[in-house]
Amino acid sequence: MNNETTTPVAVIGLGLMGQALAGALLEAGHPTTVWNRTAAKADRLVARGARLAPTVGDALQAGSLTIICVTDYQAVHELLDASDITLDGTTLINLTSGDSAQARQAAQWAELRGARYLDGAIMAIPSAIGTAEAVILHSGPQSDFEAHKSTLDALGTVTYLGADHGLASLYDVAGLAMMWSVLNGWLQGTALLRTAGVDATTYAPFAQQIAAVVATWLPGYAEQIDSGSFPAEVSALETDARAMAHLIEESEAVGVNAELPKLIKAMADRSIAAGHGGEQYPVLIEEFGKFRND
């Protein structure tokens, strides 16, 4: 295998993220071939030494590794499923956003055409690509990941999750769930405090402290979830539900939206009704694990 500074790579798709990926590979010394429907998007990369492929097929043949980052999985199939495209013997790393089912289907589709395939998810903004702050998740055959890890390291902090091609997409949305939940909780608190003249800047350090403390609970709570046992070591769910009611009442009293705390309390109430009121908060995993469309 070539060393990390000479491995040729192709990048298909030159939106903001694709341009950042190709730029990081060039910066790390990789001969980089690029392709995009709108060829002009490659101009700055070509000026830095990239080669513009005339066709998708040419790009696929140009490197020992091809990274594709386009709008969606439909676009992936439209580009690579043409009759004149040969995937046999290629290694594809798909960093296009999608869901886990699409990732697994794409893996089967690629492998039937003779390609090696890794699915991935980028947990970063374009400007972070090429730095340690850019977390890039990969799932699929471990041997394929290890074969190209030294090249992928040029893009950021790369992490292998497992053989299931759908894992990167699942981790991606799980991370988004965490992000939005933290931000939504902070916004709820900010809205409450603004009614008393406290601005967001003043509240933010306190909120950071709370978030950091709650984060330390996760490993112990994870053990409870994995064991299926939820002893009330800190507080019982029924105690938490009373605090939720207080949050709802306070929000309504000062004219702040209470939809979010009402949603969480409704889940807690269902769990308590099912007999889990004396158990600890992570018992709500049973509610989160149920699909509801009412």
Side-chain angles (χ1 to χ4, degrees), residues 23-285:
L25 290 164
L26 285 168
E27 185 70 22
H30 296 279
T32 304
T33 297
V34 296
W35 181 89
N36 193 71
R37 277 198 177 100
T38 304
K41 288 189 175 181
D43 288 349
R44 283 185 292 179
L45 293 166
V46 170
R48 294 174 58 188
R51 170 182 172 267
L52 177 62
T55 66
V56 173
D58 181 80
L60 286 164
Q61 300 305 310
S64 60
L65 176 67
T66 298
I67 295 172
I68 184 164
C69 183
V70 291
T71 306
D72 52 33
Y73 278 71
Q74 181 178 344
V76 172
H77 290 289
E78 289 174 354
L79 288 173
L80 303 185
D81 209 16
S83 59
D84 59 338
I85 298 295
T86 299
L87 295 181
D88 190 39
T90 63
T91 297
L92 295 176
I93 296 185
N94 186 10
L95 297 181
T96 300
S97 295
D99 62 39
S100 58
Q102 290 175 316
R104 295 180 184 117
Q105 290 165 0
Q108 293 177 347
W109 167 84
E111 289 165 359
L112 284 172
R113 287 157 180 77
R116 296 180 177 277
Y117 181 89
L118 289 167
D119 208 89
I122 301 173
M123 311 293 286
I125 58 175
S127 61
I129 297 299
T131 74
E133 284 70 37
V135 175
I136 305 179
L137 310 175
H138 298 272
S139 52
Q142 186 170 6
S143 58
D144 293 337
F145 173 77
E146 294 296 340
H148 296 286
K149 183 179 183 300
S150 61
T151 299
L152 296 171
D153 280 340
L155 304 178
T157 301
V158 296
T159 301
Y160 176 73
L161 300 173
D164 178 358
H165 286 91
L167 282 174
S169 291
L170 284 172
Y171 266 79
D172 184 20
V173 292
L176 292 175
M178 281 292 300
M179 178 186 74
W180 286 324
S181 294
V182 171
L183 289 174
N184 288 339
W186 173 68
L187 290 170
Q188 181 80 37
T190 299
L192 283 164
L193 287 167
R194 285 175 67 185
T195 67
V198 179
D199 60 26
T201 301
T202 300
Y203 173 49
F206 177 80
Q208 278 185 301
Q209 183 179 17
I210 294 295
V213 170
V214 172
T216 67
W217 302 349
L218 299 184
Y221 280 9
E223 290 179 5
Q224 290 194 342
I225 291 171
D226 291 341
S227 69
S229 177
F230 307 95
E233 299 166 347
V234 177
S235 68
L237 183 60
E238 56 192 9
T239 302
D240 290 321
R242 287 194 290 271
M244 293 173 192
H246 175 60
L247 171 58
I248 293 167
E249 292 163 3
E250 183 71 33
S251 297
E252 292 178 336
V254 296
V256 166
N257 189 306
E259 290 175 90
L260 180 60
K262 282 182 177 180
L263 172 62
I264 302 304
K265 187 173 187 300
M267 297 175 74
D269 288 343
R270 289 196 298 268
S271 185
I272 292 168
H276 301 297
E279 297 177 89
Q280 195 156 260
Y281 197 85
V283 74
L284 281 181
I285 189 63

